[in-house]
Amino acid sequence: LEIIDTDGNGLYINERVNPADHRQILYSIDKNKLWSLTLPGLNLTDEEGMLLAVLLQQAGQVPVLKDSSEGLINKINWLKDADGYRIYNVNATERIVGSETKEAVGIILNAIQKDRCIEFNYNNAVGRRSGLRRVMPLYMFAYDGGLYLNAQKLEDGEMRSYAVERIQGLPIVIDVKKKDKPQKAEYDGRLEDPLSPFPDHEEFELTVTFTQWQGWYNMQKRWPESVKVTQNDDGSVVMRVRTRSCYGAKKWVLGQWNEVIKIEPKWMRDDILQSVEAMVKRI
């Protein structure tokens, strides 16, 4: 998000109907506004980065692949450090940020860059009236199809996450004396949590045993050091995950429900079973 235009205009993408086919919408960005959201790093090794570069170079020599390979090259920011590759995906911006939130995002990013505080009306839940929030913004992040602001409340310095889509109207930059600002919190590592960036519990180890098929699928993914994966003699796979999110743990396990053999600790297993029972009663 640091590379998004910082003049307060937000995420402008021009839309127009394709004159040659009115069923299609064409998207474009003014050359003076050439920026994009940045997805997480690819975490490629040097060998993997070299292989990808060779494949793209060879693909450019094949007529049917030439345009696609050049387009992919333009979306990749080649850095010296292979772990620092960044993929730019302009077309996905509209799906992540609705048009009504674009200007709000620009204001928030400007405030973060200039170390300013903001206030905004925030709808905390469905059916509730919005309330005023006065915060010191820290950073923004994308998760599960939405944008979130991590900030500290001015009154007590407590760290909170706010869904940008729930901000009512536009944030207002406010003047706050340095002595009245909370001490800036240290980054708490929430974005490195393998299950969810929203901590709601002290760190615990979730242990889940999967069937051979799902276990093999999970083993193909790149997991952070907080995840340990082992395979049993019968082919089943055990994953031990350090996390601080009960919500994220339940969502992750239930997303693979048919392939789960065992869940530990017991309190997490019981919580998941209660959630399933409540869902069954509702439907």
Side-chain angles (χ1 to χ4, degrees), residues 117-274:
C117 296
I118 57 176
E119 67 178 23
F120 51 83
N121 286 309
Y122 188 75
N123 193 5
N124 197 43
V126 176
R128 294 185 184 179
R129 296 180 62 185
S130 60
L132 186 67
R133 305 289 192 272
R134 303 178 78 247
V135 303
M136 182 171 69
L138 300 177
Y139 58 87
M140 297 184 69
F141 63 94
Y143 174 73
D144 200 21
L147 277 177
Y148 293 85
L149 165 66
N150 224 29
Q152 289 176 260
K153 296 161 59 177
L154 287 183
E155 57 263 33
D156 56 15
E158 183 180 357
M159 188 181 296
R160 289 290 181 89
S161 295
Y162 301 94
V164 176
E165 294 84 357
R166 291 186 180 181
I167 293 178
Q168 308 297 301
L170 296 178
I172 298 174
V173 177
I174 57 178
D175 292 321
V176 178
K177 295 181 180 179
K178 187 175 181 179
K179 66 180 182 64
D180 295 327
K181 291 182 180 181
Q183 182 176 354
K184 185 169 289 188
E186 295 290 334
Y187 171 61
D188 60 1
R190 65 177 61 202
L191 298 184
E192 278 71 53
D193 191 301
L195 300 185
S196 169
F198 303 112
D200 55 23
H201 195 277
E202 293 183 0
E203 187 178 69
F204 66 97
E205 183 174 88
L206 172 69
T207 303
V208 183
T209 303
F210 294 99
T211 61
Q212 183 175 6
W213 183 89
Q214 187 67 25
W216 176 86
Y217 175 78
N218 286 332
M219 289 176 67
Q220 308 311 306
K221 296 183 179 180
R222 285 181 176 271
W223 296 97
E225 294 182 357
S226 57
V227 179
K228 305 299 180 185
V229 185
T230 56
Q231 189 167 23
N232 296 325
D233 293 337
D234 61 359
S236 61
V237 172
V238 180
M239 296 188 64
R240 294 176 173 84
V241 184
R242 303 296 303 181
T243 181
R244 292 185 296 162
S245 177
C246 293
Y247 167 80
K250 289 196 292 185
K251 184 177 179 181
W252 180 64
V253 171
L254 290 173
Q256 307 171 87
W257 63 277
N258 198 38
E259 307 296 333
V260 176
I261 298 175
K262 186 177 181 182
I263 304 170
E264 295 177 327
K266 184 178 181 300
W267 63 265
M268 188 77 251
R269 170 186 174 275
D270 293 343
D271 194 350
I272 292 175
L273 291 178
Q274 289 175 8

